Amino acid sequence: MIKLKPIFAIAVLFFATSLVKADDGYRLWLRYVPVEDSKLMNEYRSQFTSVAISGNSETVSAIKNEIKIGLSGLLDKEVEISSTFKNQGLLIVTSSSEHKSLGISEETERLGNEGYLIIEKKINGKNTIIVASKTDIGALYGTFHFLRLVQTQQSFGKINIEESPKTTHRLLNHWDNLDRTVERGYAGFSIWDWHTLPDYIDQRYIDYARANASIGINGTVLTNVNANALILTPEYLIKVKALADAFRPYGLKVYLTARFSAPVEIGGLTTADPLDASVAAWWKSKIDEIYSMIPDFGGFLVKANSEGQPGPQNYGRNHADGANMLSTAVAHHGGVVMWRAFVYDNNVPDDRAKQAYNEFKPLDKRFNENIFVQVKNGAIDFQPREPFHPLFGALEHTPIMMEFQITQEYLGCATHLVYLAPLFKECLESDTYAKGKGSTVGKVIDGSLHNHTISGMAGVANIGNDRNWTGHPFGQANWFAFGRLAWNHNLSSEQIADEWLRMTFTNNEKFLKVVEPMMLNSRETAVNYMTPLGLHHQMARNHHWGPGPWVNVGRPDWTSPYYHRADSVGLGFNRSSTGSNAVAQYFPEVSDKFNSVKTCPEEFLLWFHHVPWNYSMKSGRSLWNELCYNYYSGADAVTQMQTNWQKVEKMIDNEQFNQVKQLLAIQAKEAVWWRNSMLLYFQQFSKQPIPNNYEQPDKTLEYYENLKFHFVPGIKGE
Amino acid sequence: MIKLKPIFAIAVLFFATSLVKADDGYRLWLRYVPVEDSKLMNEYRSQFTSVAISGNSETVSAIKNEIKIGLSGLLDKEVEISSTFKNQGLLIVTSSSEHKSLGISEETERLGNEGYLIIEKKINGKNTIIVASKTDIGALYGTFHFLRLVQTQQSFGKINIEESPKTTHRLLNHWDNLDRTVERGYAGFSIWDWHTLPDYIDQRYIDYARANASIGINGTVLTNVNANALILTPEYLIKVKALADAFRPYGLKVYLTARFSAPVEIGGLTTADPLDASVAAWWKSKIDEIYSMIPDFGGFLVKANSEGQPGPQNYGRNHADGANMLSTAVAHHGGVVMWRAFVYDNNVPDDRAKQAYNEFKPLDKRFNENIFVQVKNGAIDFQPREPFHPLFGALEHTPIMMEFQITQEYLGCATHLVYLAPLFKECLESDTYAKGKGSTVGKVIDGSLHNHTISGMAGVANIGNDRNWTGHPFGQANWFAFGRLAWNHNLSSEQIADEWLRMTFTNNEKFLKVVEPMMLNSRETAVNYMTPLGLHHQMARNHHWGPGPWVNVGRPDWTSPYYHRADSVGLGFNRSSTGSNAVAQYFPEVSDKFNSVKTCPEEFLLWFHHVPWNYSMKSGRSLWNELCYNYYSGADAVTQMQTNWQKVEKMIDNEQFNQVKQLLAIQAKEAVWWRNSMLLYFQQFSKQPIPNNYEQPDKTLEYYENLKFHFVPGIKGE
């Protein structure tokens, strides 16, 4: 027996949080951790530990599973699920006879095939929360809504919720290649592991479907719009079928991209002319084959005659000819065709912004009724800010599918915190004046403005095989926000942020008070340090990650100067009536406003006007000084985000805290990179100093121009 | 108030296991779930809930963290950690004065810089478990050993463990490209996210270091042997430094692959001739630059003059010239050079198996002392079975680094359950007779046979960014087994399997009784359905995933017939003294045994001999019937694995069970694919029937030959 001297001076370390498992973000907003508020926890426990769910479809199994893992997790207590109603506190019901008994038949009918209600009713003297719907899928959506209410610590007294989606087609677009690279993907690689399909069903596929169902997404286009015809071969179709089978219980339909030249590439034909009978027959046969395997196949998304993709114009036909041929073959199966309006002439146009409108407006009456024209929110390409696309409102006879980009191609990839709901909302709330005041883009795409029976919203996914799905933890918020807005575009950015933060991090009000404003301002911040005042298309070539105002070789409408038009006089693209007259594509109320440098909102000023460097802005600053002000404000705001984030360190999981902290440091560095590059570049034309109250750039323009990068994610290796 | 009719007939569902979180495999063998045996749990709890650890290095922090998450998890109870010893039940100690007090100075000194002891001692009347070591890294290794003892439910009474590694260099080789593809990688993509380095330190990097330290791996080559010189540019070196910093607390050094032509590609020189002074100066300067950033940088792995890689032979120099030039520049920093012996002539050799020996044996005395020649276990290329490489034992003056392949390039990629410890052990236990009987490969590579001061083992990693790291859950066992054997090649396959299964799944004896034999037999099973009796190199071109005995175009020594030599007479490559005489590269005892068709082990028969179809095997069967027997046994054994696995359904986590179940179904299908393809192909030469007691192939040879695959993982897209 020996006695050790007490030589170690440091005091006892006690790891108070040692049993808190680090959160890697895999569970997304479906974390189902125990309710934090102890009073509410007691209320929920007394109400919800026993649940009645009838039915035995695969979707009902999914509901039971979600109640099992969700409610048991939230209540930190095993929940008993019964298919017999015995006065449990929660009843989930899809049977029409039960609806009749409960006196809610009218409501469930009215809310349709995806709608549901959540109400409180006294049954046998006991307050019962009822989730009721016409269909099992409606009940699944209602179940997720119910769980969200518990996750966000809502009260259930006198609850009376009626929900049904505003659009019929709520889709993710995966730009996933068959080799598992993802075009503009920044969260690792494709979650579709084609090699092990169809035999291996990764748990991630199920969790993907759960996450989508939880926010009402009901379709997914599995493959890149820059399409590979191989996906249509039997070897791949059995893999697609396996995914469709895995997703079906969650109401998630699969769609594919159709390579227009597939009849030649895999069909052995010598032409893909849509008016050629053998081509139409080949597609019909191929489509029948798909539906024989996947009876609820959703249809096709097509990028044709754009950026090198083949299309009907290769054969002297137009977009309607191509789309109609395909749509005829899917129509009797209930499928749709989504034909993208993002097209390029082979010839360089005077103004690329005008091109989609010029191409599609004349075809408005030519499309079959199961065709969407899928239009990006703006006329260029997912910029930090664009005015709404002039096709919204302009097409009356053709339903428009909105295409938003959830993945941050032009917004810092996966290392910048940019909450996109304000960007989506800005577009959705824009007034087209197509049928007078109040003709918002939202009403165009939900079909109400022009009375379409199909309507929809697509989001280019930011999902990859990173452990947390989206690379940046806050990228999850953009997937979530897209789904919530596709369901109901009237939701506010604030409400969505509040829901997501509570579900993903904590209901701690102190946390929310710091982080919610940070999220809500983050998109404006990014605009400021990247492309303020209507600037656009100023990114580096190919990877689009950093700044590249100097990019000036190759096709003119793929260069930066084509868009910024900087010269000794001023800055900006004159799209007014004295310039390209792109403004004329809008309805008069909008056109007039944009056309005048006086009435044009300053956030779009350089989009529509070439403005002198010394033009006096509303702030009283000159254009040049305003530009400096915006860039510095943007970069400073990121520093402020870092300071704010530091305040929440003890309020959330340490791994999540550290992830965001590290990413904000990258964002701060890159915001300065953007700011300095852009200002030093434009300074060559303005010949004016950066006001000396600002920290001056410590690198030269030449330094920034000469930065070289390799293997930037989201494009094929360079 | 309404009364619902009890219309739902199904009985109450009660999810007894609803709070068990699904296990996605991310935690590897470091799961740290509560001890299952309640008696032991009580013992452990009374002994170990309070721990004393002194010191304040980063490695000591890592030890504290591991004790915190590990012991708290295992004991399901918060563990108190103090840096002052106050008669806690567990003491971790690296201070030499404390060793003296405890009377263990001799032991800790003797066990060296990576060794440790775990003993029980009475201190102040209380039984104390002591983990003691000379260094913090030794203590970390001891801590992982201690935790393993708890994980595998060992008793601590009278414990007396002394451990030190048998080799100095225990390395993973990542064949990871800078675009995150992984050559021969089947578990997703590279875990190195070069784009977000150096600013973003993914938790996965830390967990990777933890996992490696837990099995004693002390180095990692980050980049593919088919190297890219960009990794040596400052832009990438700061990223490498960030990884080195993250790994350092865990005793894991970083190494890089050196592209031999880097002085030309990134250095602006016109030559990479190793005897050119400017080339040597460039490398010296580059290496000094690396060490200024990473003072403990490990050194370089080089693939030169092989499969198109540049090397000293491009300049008329030999491998020693190239290796010596590099090794001189790293020597004074303490680094090493690992020069691969896997080389190809530009000319097709009479027997590729002889090539490495012919090239390297004459250079034995020419290498500087900080150079390893890195030799694959066999002379061809990581086949399901190969005789040991003749260079083992043949090089006396040059330390040989063993190169095993953990990733299953030729063993079903990530969808086949093949436990590789028996393959590794078969090689390590092979007797070279270099210094008479008992001169095993193990003694060659641990340096004891020829008294080398450096010694080592490298494993080509099977790690990717899949959630469970290795794709197949049992792939984790091969990473684990490699590490354990690199530490101590005398461990048995059985012991390693037992440890891994207990740590990864459960200590349930019923489970172990079913699954351990399944693991231990799995490699022999794979040999049987792929390439029994010494067959080798029969895989499909490029992707190496499926069978390709018919592959017969291009360079002859890259075709299958070059190796199988099937003709109307028989089958096999005559490497005896009447053939290529490759046998002569072995020491006489081995050579004589292999040289005679009578004494050659049947498992290597067709490796060394061309044997007539009707040759009578030891079983009494003809060669052809034996071949059929082997192929059918192999495929049947996989079916048996499926049956066995089904037995453990209720014993382990459901997600893990289902993953393996699905993968075994794929393996069963592919075993039949291999069996049928190989037998139908060879039947063309044997002209004999598959015995009719076997289920006959239901597809033709032509069917198998015409199968086309796209985007098979592990190679650049096809």
Side-chain angles (χ1 to χ4, degrees), chain A residues 1-19 21 24 26-27 53-56 64 68-69 72-73 76-86 91 93 95 97-98 101-102 121-126 178-181 188-189 193 195-196 199-204 228 230 235-236 413 415 465-467 471 545 655 658-659 662-663 666 669 708 710-713 717, chain B residues 1-19 21 24 26-27 53-56 64 68-69 72-73 76-86 91 93 95 97-98 101-102 121-126 178-181 188-189 193 195-196 199-204 228 230 235-236 413 415 465-467 471 545 655 658-659 662-663 666 669 708 710-713 717:
Chain A
M1 280 192 288
I2 58 165
K3 173 113 176 66
L4 285 183
K5 290 167 293 177
I7 54 158
F8 312 140
I10 303 163
V12 172
L13 292 171
F14 189 76
F15 295 95
T17 58
S18 67
L19 292 182
K21 198 185 162 295
D24 60 26
Y26 178 79
R27 292 172 295 171
I53 308 171
S54 65
N56 51 15
K64 287 177 179 169
K68 177 187 140 192
I69 61 173
S72 299
D76 201 13
K77 192 168 188 293
E78 279 175 27
V79 166
E80 192 185 322
I81 300 178
S82 163
S83 33
T84 319
F85 180 68
K86 294 176 302 187
L91 169 64
V93 60
S95 142
S97 64
E98 293 311 308
S101 302
L102 292 161
K121 242 188 209 308
K122 233 173 201 149
I123 310 183
N124 300 334
K126 180 171 175 183
L178 299 185
D179 65 0
R180 298 189 67 184
T181 57
F189 293 78
D193 185 352
H195 180 66
T196 56
D199 299 301
Y200 187 74
I201 301 300
D202 194 319
Q203 178 62 31
R204 201 184 261 266
N228 187 326
L230 280 175
E235 291 76 10
Y236 276 92
C413 305
T415 48
N465 74 341
D466 274 3
R467 273 175 66 70
W545 164 45
E655 183 170 336
N658 275 325
Q659 284 180 359
Q662 293 183 83
L663 292 167
I666 294 176
K669 197 166 78 171
K708 289 276 179 296
H710 305 274
F711 307 115
V712 179
Chain B
M1 282 193 288
I2 57 164
K3 172 111 177 68
L4 284 182
K5 291 169 293 179
I7 52 160
F8 312 139
I10 302 162
V12 172
L13 292 173
F14 189 77
F15 294 96
T17 58
S18 66
L19 293 183
K21 198 185 162 297
D24 59 26
Y26 178 78
R27 291 172 296 171
I53 307 172
S54 65
N56 52 14
K64 287 177 181 172
K68 177 187 142 192
I69 61 173
S72 299
D76 202 13
K77 191 167 188 294
E78 279 174 27
V79 166
E80 192 184 321
I81 300 178
S82 164
S83 33
T84 318
F85 181 68
K86 294 176 302 185
L91 169 64
V93 61
S95 142
S97 64
E98 294 310 309
S101 302
L102 292 162
K121 242 187 208 312
K122 232 171 202 152
I123 311 182
N124 300 333
K126 181 173 173 179
L178 299 184
D179 65 359
R180 296 189 70 184
T181 57
F189 293 79
D193 185 352
H195 179 65
T196 57
D199 300 300
Y200 187 76
I201 302 299
D202 194 318
Q203 179 62 32
R204 199 184 262 265
N228 188 326
L230 280 175
E235 291 75 11
Y236 276 91
C413 305
T415 49
N465 73 342
D466 274 3
R467 273 176 66 70
W545 162 45
E655 183 170 336
N658 275 325
Q659 284 180 359
Q662 292 182 84
L663 293 167
I666 293 176
K669 198 165 80 171
K708 289 275 179 299
H710 305 275
F711 307 114
V712 178

Side-chain angles (χ1 to χ4, degrees), chain A residues 332-385:
Chain A
H332 72 281
H333 296 291
V336 298
V337 168
M338 296 160 289
W339 197 270
R340 289 176 95 232
F342 181 71
V343 295
Y344 273 107
D345 246 353
N346 288 330
N347 303 316
V348 176
D350 69 325
D351 183 357
R352 175 174 145 195
K354 297 193 300 188
Q355 207 162 343
Y357 181 100
N358 289 343
E359 195 99 44
F360 281 85
K361 174 68 180 164
L363 298 173
D364 190 16
K365 294 185 179 174
R366 296 279 311 279
F367 291 102
N368 289 345
E369 63 180 8
N370 61 333
I371 294 173
F372 286 101
V373 169
Q374 182 163 314
V375 179
K376 293 184 182 184
N377 56 293
I380 297 298
D381 192 14
F382 299 136
Q383 297 301 295
R385 168 167 278 133

Side-chain angles (χ1 to χ4, degrees), chain A residues 437-450:
Chain A
K437 191 168 166 52
S439 304
T440 62
V441 172
K443 288 183 186 167
V444 172
I445 69 104
D446 72 15
S448 63
L449 194 71
H450 296 115

